[in-house]
Structures are given as structure tokens and as C-alpha cells.
Amino acid sequence: MTGYAIVLASGELERVQAVSMIGSIAAASETPVQVFATMNGLTAFEKETVENGDFDVAGPAGYAMLESDGDEVPMFTEQLERAKNLGPLEVYACEMVMDLMDNEIDDYVDVFDGVLGVSGFLQKASDKQVLFV
């Protein structure tokens, strides 16, 4: 295994935040990470959702993150950007979901390294441990 491939299929803030934390720590440790945002996981990255803070929240930890000023835990978008400067982290948007939602890459916050279909992501993930969130 040479790193992690994280499939982010949930748009719940707690899960998206967890993926950004896991990815950040791994990248800072020089462990390659590739995140594939698909299904509802991709919705959390929409510019409008991020700007309005209109996230799906599962419980008290998510509400605490939204009420935080970002000092305790930076928002997932900021955390992913920082992680890219620390180590090998790549984030990809799911092409199929973008097509279904009639979205372009410019509709999302600027954290993506590209757009991939499932087969493209699986090729990139072939030597990594896959985590599904």
C-alpha cells in the first residue's frame, strides 16, 4: 500500500470534516492521499453551500463546528488547501455527479485537482488502501 484513497460519498459536515482531517494528517506525514468527492459528498463543496454555511449536519459536533470561528477546527476547504501545501494530497470531483447536477468545476470551491469518473479514480487508487466515508 502506498497511501490512501478516500471516497467521500456523504455530504454531512462531520464526515466531510473528518475526511479533510484524515487527509491532512496523512499528507503532512508524506503519505499520499487522493480524495474522490462523489454523490452527496460533492454537494458540500458547492460554492453556494460553503458561502452560506448550508451544510447537512448530523449532530452536536457539526453544529459546534458551524458555530466555531474556525480557530479550533478550520473548515474542511481551508484544511484541504493547507494540506496540499504540506504533502501529497489530491482531491477529485466525480464527473457523473457533476453531469447529473448539471454543474461545472467552477461551481465548486477551488480545492479540486481535476474531474474523474469512477474508473479513472479506481486506476489512481489501485495501489492505495480505499476508505469509504
Side-chain angles (χ1 to χ4, degrees):
M1 177 193 82
T2 60
Y4 299 101
I6 305 173
V7 178
L8 175 61
S10 172
E12 289 179 356
L13 179 59
E14 295 90 336
R15 291 176 184 258
V16 178
Q17 191 71 32
V19 166
S20 74
M21 289 188 289
I22 292 166
S24 296
I25 298 300
S29 303
E30 291 300 316
T31 301
V33 179
Q34 293 167 333
V35 177
F36 183 60
T38 187
M39 301 302 168
N40 292 335
L42 189 55
T43 337
F45 292 89
E46 290 178 354
K47 285 180 181 175
E48 187 175 332
T49 300
V50 173
E51 289 169 4
N52 296 331
D54 189 25
F55 300 104
D56 291 335
V57 178
Y63 290 112
M65 281 185 260
L66 288 175
E67 293 170 4
S68 161
D69 60 10
D71 289 341
E72 294 105 18
V73 180
M75 188 57 72
F76 65 92
T77 52
E78 183 181 335
Q79 201 161 43
L80 289 170
E81 278 301 320
R82 287 181 187 174
K84 287 180 175 196
N85 294 321
L86 296 174
L89 175 76
E90 298 172 340
V91 184
Y92 295 99
C94 178
E95 183 175 32
M96 180 198 73
V97 174
M98 288 176 60
D99 289 346
L100 285 171
M101 303 299 288
D102 200 28
N103 284 346
E104 300 291 327
I105 197 69
D106 291 338
D107 295 323
Y108 301 97
V109 292
D110 190 24
V111 298
F112 291 103
D113 294 290
V115 177
L116 291 174
V118 173
S119 63
F121 181 72
L122 289 175
Q123 286 177 348
K124 285 188 167 288
S126 65
D127 63 340
K128 293 175 180 50
Q129 181 171 343
V130 177
L131 307 173
F132 191 87
V133 180

